[in-house]
Amino acid sequence: MTALPPDPTIRDDEQLHLVKNTDLDRYELWREKQFIGFEGFQDHEDGTVELQHTIIGEQFGRQGYARTLVTLLLDGFREQGVAVRPTCPYVQDFLHRFPQYQDVVAPGFELPTAQKVKEKRRRWALRRAP
């Protein structure tokens, strides 16, 4: 039997909280009154939620906020019994790194291979580079 990787390390900050902003179709991560970033989503008629894109403010980049946002979302969806369709490359990469969250993926949704996800994220990062 293969051991699962450890749970993701997230920011340990009691002031962090999620807000579902239905007007903008996104889940927002806030630290008190400071906006950190968001996960775009779309609710589907079959009860699944599509996770479309993860965006974190530049000043918060590379500090674990994206991982915290996705972890909190997936933990919440798991508790609610909601399945997700992860079309966001960051969430797809997260699911490859932390396969213990695969049970939250909607039945029949095929996750791209880890290599394809990494290549897509690399191309996206190159387009953003100045």
Side-chain angles (χ1 to χ4, degrees), residues 14-31:
E14 292 180 12
Q15 297 172 348
L16 287 175
H17 61 279
L18 289 175
V19 174
K20 183 177 183 179
N21 184 334
T22 54
D23 290 338
L24 296 176
D25 295 327
R26 64 190 197 181
Y27 288 93
E28 299 172 345
L29 182 64
W30 291 80
R31 183 173 187 274

Side-chain angles (χ1 to χ4, degrees), residues 7-123:
D7 287 334
T9 303
I10 63 172
R11 299 204 46 105
D12 185 21
D13 186 339
E14 292 180 12
Q15 297 172 348
L16 287 175
H17 61 279
L18 289 175
V19 174
K20 183 177 183 179
N21 184 334
T22 54
D23 290 338
L24 296 176
D25 295 327
R26 64 190 197 181
Y27 288 93
E28 299 172 345
L29 182 64
W30 291 80
R31 183 173 187 274
E32 289 189 328
K33 296 182 183 201
Q34 186 173 34
F35 178 73
I36 305 291
F38 68 92
E39 180 70 44
F41 77 93
Q42 181 179 0
D43 289 325
H44 288 272
E45 289 181 12
D46 64 359
T48 63
V49 175
E50 181 179 352
L51 300 179
Q52 300 172 325
H53 45 267
T54 307
I55 307 293
I56 298 297
E58 274 189 55
Q59 67 271 35
F60 303 108
R62 318 283 294 149
Q63 297 176 43
Y65 285 106
R67 183 175 43 247
T68 300
L69 170 61
V70 171
T71 301
L72 293 174
L73 278 174
L74 294 180
D75 285 345
F77 288 133
R78 180 185 279 153
E79 287 175 18
Q80 299 167 33
V82 173
V84 300
R85 299 179 190 186
T87 56
C88 166
Y90 180 85
V91 177
Q92 292 172 347
D93 187 48
F94 178 96
L95 290 166
H96 282 293
R97 289 183 293 140
F98 304 102
Q100 61 267 43
Y101 283 91
Q102 298 261 342
D103 64 309
V104 183
V105 176
F109 185 89
E110 185 113 6
L111 210 58
T113 65
Q115 184 59 38
K116 285 185 180 181
V117 172
K118 288 187 189 312
E119 179 59 26
K120 189 174 189 178
R121 290 189 69 206
R122 186 188 68 76
R123 284 194 315 266

